[in-house]
């Protein structure tokens, strides 16, 4: 019974974490707005796969590995910081583009594989995702180790991640939402750019500690 309640708490924390606005959700929203629903869905699936990868790693005992080989986390933070600054640059670049308030969403002609792999890379290069999963695993099964059951909370969280991330893609590829977005475009793009910049600089700063 205690294990079950712990898993529910961990699931609640996971849902709350991924549903609240963050770098991944902002990137999914921005991709859906500028490249269309299908591109947003592919990006969301990439983010989900990246998240699931770190979940499996955390359940497999990533923390001891990171403690033993600290250079791995250092490299991840450097790469992640640079990648988020690149995303921030793209967001600020959107401010220079003039768009009509009422627009038709056009599907991007670019390969959707590009968006899928971009979503994967965004999550793989985010060390915060590692820490979140380690915390979720610790909460879900604090007294169990070296057991296949430790993967249960990861498997349980996966479908919720898919639904929530794809929901962002659908919501921000809706004509009404997009039209409303363009009413506040410069403020939203500025917020996205600042958020990505702060995450990027924080990762670079943490790497040098």
């Amino acid at each position: 019974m205690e294990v079950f309640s712990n898993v529910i708490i961990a699931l609640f924390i996971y849902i709350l974490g991924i549903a609240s606005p963050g770098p991944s959700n902002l990137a999914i929203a921005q991709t859906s707005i500028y490249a269309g629903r299908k591109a947003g869905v592919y990006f969301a699936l990439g983010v989900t796969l990246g998240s699931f990868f770190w979940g499996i790693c955390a359940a497999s005992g990533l923390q001891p590995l990171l403690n033993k080989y600290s250079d791995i986390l250092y490299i991840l933070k450097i790469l992640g910081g640079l990648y988020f600054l690149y995303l921030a640059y793209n967001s600020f670049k959107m401010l220079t583009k003039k768009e009509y308030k009422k627009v038709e969403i056009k599907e991007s002609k670019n390969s959707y594989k590009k968006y899928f792999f971009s979503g994967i890379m965004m999550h793989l290069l985010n060390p915060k995702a590692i820490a979140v999963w380690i915390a979720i695993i610790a909460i879900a099964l604090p007294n169990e180790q070296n057991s296949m059951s430790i993967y249960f909370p990861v498997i349980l969280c996966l479908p919720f991640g898919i639904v929530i991330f794809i929901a962002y893609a659908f919501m921000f590829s809706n004509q009404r939402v997009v039209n409303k977005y363009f009413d506040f475009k410069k403020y939203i793009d500025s917020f996205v750019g600042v958020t990505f910049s702060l995450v990027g600089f924080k990762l670079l700063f943490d790497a040098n500690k």
Side-chain angles (χ1 to χ4, degrees):
M1 189 67 182
E2 180 185 355
V3 172
F4 176 76
S5 62
N6 287 337
V7 169
I8 296 300
I9 293 172
L11 178 61
F12 175 75
I13 292 173
Y14 175 76
I15 293 173
L16 189 64
I18 64 173
S20 59
S24 295
N25 291 335
L26 291 174
I28 292 171
Q30 199 170 48
T31 300
S32 301
I33 288 170
Y34 287 103
R37 176 172 296 172
K38 196 170 182 179
V41 169
Y42 271 83
F43 192 95
L45 290 174
V47 168
T48 305
L49 182 60
S51 176
F52 185 65
F53 172 81
W54 284 131
I56 294 296
C57 287
S60 300
L62 180 64
Q63 185 64 64
L65 183 65
L66 291 176
N67 290 337
K68 187 175 181 179
Y69 302 103
S70 58
D71 286 346
I72 296 177
L73 187 58
Y74 172 80
I75 293 171
L76 278 174
K77 286 186 175 183
I78 293 293
L79 292 176
L82 294 175
Y83 186 69
F84 274 103
L85 290 179
Y86 168 74
L87 293 175
Y89 165 75
N90 284 338
S91 297
F92 287 129
K93 191 168 68 173
M94 296 295 182
L95 293 172
T96 63
K97 292 185 177 181
K98 292 184 178 180
E99 306 278 0
Y100 293 105
K101 279 188 174 182
K102 307 302 176 185
V103 297
E104 292 183 4
I105 303 171
K106 295 181 179 179
E107 292 289 343
S108 171
K109 294 181 180 179
N110 294 324
S111 170
Y112 292 114
K113 292 180 182 178
K114 163 191 168 185
Y115 297 105
F116 179 68
F117 285 113
S118 293
I120 293 176
M121 293 304 296
M122 181 173 194
H123 229 64
L124 290 184
L125 296 176
N126 183 7
K128 181 183 176 183
I130 308 171
V132 170
W133 271 113
I134 289 173
I136 289 172
I137 297 299
I139 293 170
L141 297 167
N143 299 319
E144 293 188 28
Q145 294 181 0
N146 301 321
S147 170
M148 286 302 294
S149 62
I150 201 169
Y151 294 99
F152 176 68
V154 180
I155 296 171
L156 181 65
C157 288
L158 178 61
F160 288 91
I162 293 174
V163 170
I164 292 172
F165 285 133
I166 289 181
Y168 264 82
F170 271 75
M171 182 170 64
F172 283 93
S173 57
N174 178 276
Q175 186 68 64
R176 290 185 179 180
V177 174
V178 172
N179 287 337
K180 183 60 67 176
Y181 159 80
F182 278 97
D183 289 336
F184 302 96
K185 178 182 182 299
K186 66 177 182 179
Y187 303 107
I188 296 175
D189 284 345
S190 296
F191 174 75
V192 173
V194 169
T195 300
F196 285 160
S197 297
L198 291 175
V199 173
F201 283 121
K202 184 180 187 305
L203 289 175
L204 293 175
F205 177 76
D206 289 345
N208 292 318
K209 284 185 177 180

